[in-house]
Amino acid sequence: MTGLVASIKAVFKLPNDDPRKTLAVALVLCLACSMVVSATAVSLRPLQERKAALALKSEIVEVAGLDSGELDLDEAFAQIETRLVDLDSGAFVEGADPLSYSYRDAAKDPAASTSLSEADPAGLIRRPDRMPVYLVRDAGQLDTIILPIYGAGLWSTMHGLLALAPDGRTVKALTFYEQRETAGLGSEVAGERWLSEWPGKVVLDASGKPVIEVAKGDVDPNAPNAEHRVDGLSGATLTSNGVTNLMRFWLGPQGYGPFLATLSGRERG
């Protein structure tokens, strides 16, 4: 250690125009800057996580239809029942805190997720074994089922929330709150106009198979399968395909399919 300090002192005693001293000064500045950036990132992480949690809570309240302005965010969110679901069985996970659960962290943990290998149309790589669901009740009866969904688009992983009617098949609302698709094209996946086409669409057929599809071009409203199809995003075929793939994955047997199939008649109202 003493020898290292002596070497550093010797370098800094060199003339200012010596390339070795210039390189040493640059290295020291780079090291100092990296330490400052790292310390700032660490100190800001809790604030960023709180802001992200609040933003997600706001999205859930909005897609639940509880953003009338009569209640503040916490009061509105308190009306929503948050549960964890075991995706393989479709059953609620008892004794776990769904509010502290992160499906993003779970997807990175081999002990809490499942490798999808080749059966991965949504581009997830690993699927969390558990996912949160949000339930809205009216006079004790189930009114809305809100499912977090995500999957690969052209440039990014798109994260959204799908709100279904108590039948588990009919869309009430959809939002994509996180995406980095091509501006003016794929980014319209989060646009109000396109999202407004989703309410009333039927995502599953009578047997429970996912049939929802983002079409290539516009949907003929008189076509026999129009209720299962949504207009494509102009100039964004791969983003449109990504939405179809993630929808069908999360509504299928590896996603919320078992959960939706086991919702009791009583729960569905």
Side-chain angles (χ1 to χ4, degrees), residues 11 14-27:
V11 169
L14 294 171
N16 290 338
D17 59 353
D18 191 299
R20 291 171 294 175
K21 185 172 184 179
T22 302
L23 179 61
V25 171
L27 288 173

Side-chain angles (χ1 to χ4, degrees), residues 92 137 142 166-167 259-269:
F92 289 126
R137 300 182 187 276
L142 185 62
D167 64 4
F259 167 67
L260 294 173
T262 55
L263 274 179
S264 67
R266 178 181 59 83
E267 278 287 357
R268 290 185 178 184

Side-chain angles (χ1 to χ4, degrees), residues 194 197 214-220 229-235 237 240:
W194 188 71
E197 296 182 21
V214 179
K216 294 179 181 179
D218 295 338
V219 175
D220 179 357
R229 307 182 77 217
V230 177
D231 290 350
L233 293 163
S234 179
T237 299
S240 297

Side-chain angles (χ1 to χ4, degrees), residues 97-112:
D97 179 12
L99 295 176
S100 63
Y101 176 79
S102 168
Y103 69 78
R104 301 191 194 209
D105 291 342
K108 301 173 186 176
D109 182 357

